[in-house]
Amino acid sequence: MATPDFIQDIRALAGHQLLLLPGVSAIVFDDEGRVLLGRRADNGKWSTIGGIPEPGEEPAHTAVREVYEETGVRCVAERVVLVEAGKGTITYPNGDQCQFMDITFRCRATGGEARVNDEESLEVGWFAMDALPKLSEFALFRIKQAQSDSPTWFQPSTGL
């Protein structure tokens, strides 16, 4: 995965210390109810599409941009599915540490053809709900929430 320039600038000053970063996930469905997934180049695992917003970029725009950049599929963001802090710290091979605050959008495909469109994916494709590849709990939970018409999910506060 290419690290955005603004993150590299922060890392030049912060070193490997833990950074809380914004993240956006896109759960894209086509007219047949299939979900768009990509097999990541960094770990070889199937996952939902996502990325980091550029400074000043609206989260919904990030979702649409990342889907096109990674898969060649055009889409529109329809609604926020969930907002969630990442579980634990991610430590990358170079020692950089981060935790993501994820905003997940349900998106509807509007055009394009699913294909590997950049260096971040090994494969991309549409999957029926009963034929999903092995996915993380992170991805499965987001797909489940995107399929429902429930209100936006968040971890309720227990108060102070």
Side-chain angles (χ1 to χ4, degrees):
M1 300 280 156
T3 302
D5 290 341
F6 79 96
I7 299 291
Q8 291 181 20
D9 292 344
I10 293 169
R11 285 286 179 208
L13 299 171
H16 300 299
Q17 71 180 306
L18 178 65
L19 297 179
L20 176 62
L21 298 174
V24 172
S25 298
I27 310 302
V28 185
F29 293 105
D30 67 5
D31 291 337
E32 297 173 35
R34 300 177 301 173
V35 66
L36 181 64
L37 301 172
R39 193 162 70 85
R40 296 171 57 106
D42 61 348
N43 64 19
K45 296 178 181 178
W46 286 97
S47 188
T48 57
I49 309 303
I52 298 173
E54 296 293 329
E57 183 178 41
E58 292 292 332
H61 183 262
T62 302
V64 169
R65 176 181 55 77
E66 288 288 343
V67 168
Y68 182 73
E69 285 178 0
E70 294 181 25
T71 71
V73 171
R74 301 251 182 226
C75 69
V76 294
E78 295 182 319
R79 68 181 184 90
V80 174
V81 171
L82 67 82
V83 177
E84 182 180 43
K87 306 279 191 279
T89 300
I90 298 170
T91 302
Y92 290 97
N94 69 354
D96 288 352
Q97 296 181 351
C98 69
Q99 182 181 30
F100 288 98
M101 177 64 69
D102 181 61
I103 302 170
T104 299
F105 289 87
R106 177 191 170 104
C107 300
R108 178 176 42 85
T110 59
E113 295 292 325
R115 66 180 184 273
V116 173
N117 208 35
D118 66 11
E119 72 286 346
E120 294 186 35
S121 300
L122 299 174
E123 298 177 71
V124 298
W126 293 103
F127 292 86
M129 292 300 106
D130 61 356
L132 296 174
K134 183 178 179 182
L135 293 168
S136 68
E137 286 301 316
F138 175 94
L140 290 170
F141 184 63
R142 279 150 179 75
I143 292 168
K144 177 185 170 194
Q145 292 302 118
Q147 286 181 296
S148 79
D149 289 326
S150 299
T152 300
W153 184 92
F154 59 92
Q155 183 67 45
S157 171
T158 58
L160 296 177

